Amino acid sequence: MRLDSLTPVLIEYRYWILIPLSLVEGPTVALITGSLSSRGYFNLYFAYAIFVVKDLVVDASYYYVGRFAGETSFVTKLLAKAHITGAQIEHVRFLWDRHGWRTMCVGKLSWGLSPAFLATAGIVAVPVAIFVRYALGIALVQYGVLMAFGYYFGNAISSASQAIRVVGYIIAGSALVALVYVRRRLRA
């Protein structure tokens, strides 16, 4: 499927398609939505609200999975198989208590590990109000930056198809730079 053929589908279904797409890959979709907002295809503030609410619902789901499943025998056996001791759980509790913002930031921005980080908040019983405050703060900043970045670059690009293509190049370039950086760090 070519990106040019994807643009009319995105334009026709606009907000309805944002919800499932943001569940699959929220940051990338937010960047593209920001660039399409600059061309008038989306209301920037309404789309931003969709992303933030979606993020809060997903984060709260992971939290509650950790909160209620953390006490089951299955999870206890799973933690024992992974050689996770009570002292390590206490260390995680300490991290959430003393460095909650940092822990949430690392957890939410760790691609692929985010559900586990957020579930640990439930396992160690971080108060719900504090967890929501951390999740909301990080989501507001994360999606605000991504959508502003997309809006800025989308405004500089002439068409929606070209905007999607350029955003794809930016993401591919960023991934390549990150890969080279990680490989160098692993070799050192």
Side-chain angles (χ1 to χ4, degrees):
M1 175 180 247
R2 291 182 37 178
L3 289 176
D4 295 342
S5 62
L6 183 63
T7 303
V9 173
L10 283 173
I11 292 169
E12 182 177 343
Y13 294 106
R14 295 177 198 225
Y15 301 105
W16 290 109
I17 204 163
L18 280 184
I19 297 167
L21 286 177
S22 68
L23 288 171
V24 174
E25 185 51 48
T28 304
V29 175
L31 195 63
I32 292 171
T33 302
S35 59
L36 291 174
S37 295
S38 71
R39 310 303 301 157
Y41 295 111
F42 290 98
N43 177 321
L44 185 67
Y45 302 109
F46 186 67
Y48 177 66
I50 289 173
F51 284 107
V52 170
V53 168
K54 181 275 314 176
D55 219 41
L56 282 175
V57 169
V58 170
D59 293 350
S61 300
Y62 290 134
Y63 173 85
Y64 280 110
V65 164
R67 184 72 176 235
F68 295 114
E71 299 172 0
T72 63
S73 62
F74 174 74
V75 172
T76 306
K77 289 177 188 176
L78 199 61
L79 292 174
K81 272 188 169 184
H83 304 290
I84 296 174
T85 64
Q88 290 168 326
I89 295 291
E90 286 306 312
H91 182 67
V92 170
R93 180 172 286 122
F94 171 80
L95 290 174
W96 276 107
D97 288 342
R98 297 291 168 107
H99 305 289
W101 283 107
R102 289 184 210 165
T103 306
M104 178 62 87
C105 188
V106 167
K108 288 202 37 85
L109 302 179
S110 298
W111 185 72
L113 298 175
S114 183
F117 267 100
L118 299 174
T120 62
I123 291 172
V124 299
V126 172
V128 175
I130 292 173
F131 179 83
V132 169
R133 187 176 70 209
Y134 292 155
L136 179 63
I138 299 296
L140 287 170
V141 171
Q142 177 186 13
Y143 286 109
V145 167
L146 287 170
M147 292 188 76
F149 190 68
Y151 190 87
Y152 172 75
F153 283 107
N155 202 17
I157 301 169
S158 64
S159 72
S161 303
Q162 188 178 2
I164 292 172
R165 189 176 314 115
V166 168
V167 169
Y169 291 144
I170 291 170
I171 292 169
S174 300
L176 182 63
V177 167
L179 179 66
V180 168
Y181 175 77
V182 168
R183 287 192 72 192
R184 285 189 180 175
R185 295 289 291 176
L186 290 175
R187 287 185 182 176

